[in-house]
Amino acid sequence: RKESSAASDVYKRQVTATSNGLKMNRFSRQSKQAGFTLLEVMIALAIFAVVSGALIRNAAQTVSQTAIVQQRTVAYWVAENQLNETRGQPRTEDSFPGLGSDRYSVTMAGQDWEVLMDVESTDNPDMRRLIVSVSPASDTDYVIVELTGFVGKY
């Protein structure tokens, strides 16, 4: 028997038996294509490779930036600690910071730091400017943080 309609070309009528003996008609779609072609799979893999490469680069950059931010944060804490320690000392005529530079080695958060504190004069003879520079102990030329504070004589 020939079927003439376009719908009958796409759908094929199947007869199945049920448990109560009645027959039911079921329609199933016959596809002209059973899967993906090799070209489609290759294009999909190429797109996946490009996207994966971009994601990996982005993840590596994020890890690097996180390490830099962590290093700067710890260096900032080291500089703040040094400023606060100097400010917190009792002030007498003899304990007023003298002009010049002092270098300290500090360990914080499992890292060794080099702290350079420059004490400079100001227009007010009873005030000193403190400039604290913090760098990794392994590379003292690379200053990560520099803080400036002031301390009074009394």
Side-chain angles (χ1 to χ4, degrees):
R1 166 178 156 201
K2 272 188 164 181
E3 296 177 5
S4 60
S5 70
S8 62
D9 290 340
V10 176
Y11 292 98
K12 179 181 176 185
R13 186 178 206 172
Q14 294 179 343
V15 177
T16 58
T18 62
S19 60
N20 61 5
L22 296 175
K23 291 184 177 183
M24 295 180 60
N25 291 330
R26 190 176 77 183
F27 291 94
S28 67
R29 183 173 174 90
Q30 288 181 341
S31 67
K32 295 179 183 178
Q33 189 176 16
F36 295 108
T37 64
L38 181 61
L39 181 60
E40 291 170 332
V41 171
M42 299 274 291
I43 291 172
L45 285 174
I47 292 170
F48 179 74
V50 169
V51 170
S52 296
L55 289 174
I56 289 172
R57 273 191 307 276
N58 189 10
Q61 187 177 29
T62 300
V63 168
S64 174
Q65 288 175 349
T66 301
I68 291 169
V69 168
Q70 181 182 14
Q71 185 182 38
R72 285 183 184 165
T73 301
V74 174
Y76 185 78
W77 291 342
V78 169
E80 277 188 327
N81 284 348
Q82 191 61 44
L83 274 176
N84 290 330
E85 186 177 312
T86 304
R87 287 180 185 154
Q89 294 174 352
R91 295 283 167 249
T92 63
E93 194 68 38
D94 298 329
S95 68
F96 190 55
L99 301 177
S101 297
D102 288 324
R103 192 172 284 276
Y104 306 96
S105 293
V106 177
T107 300
M108 181 179 271
Q111 297 173 339
D112 294 326
W113 302 95
E114 216 36 54
V115 179
L116 176 66
M117 186 165 69
D118 292 322
V119 180
E120 299 176 351
S121 63
T122 63
D123 292 338
N124 183 346
D126 292 334
M127 292 286 288
R128 295 280 195 255
R129 177 181 295 117
L130 307 174
I131 301 171
V132 179
S133 303
V134 179
S135 58
S138 59
D139 185 11
T140 58
D141 294 332
Y142 175 58
V143 175
I144 297 175
V145 171
E146 186 173 280
L147 287 180
T148 301
F150 295 90
V151 66
K153 192 172 193 176
Y154 303 105

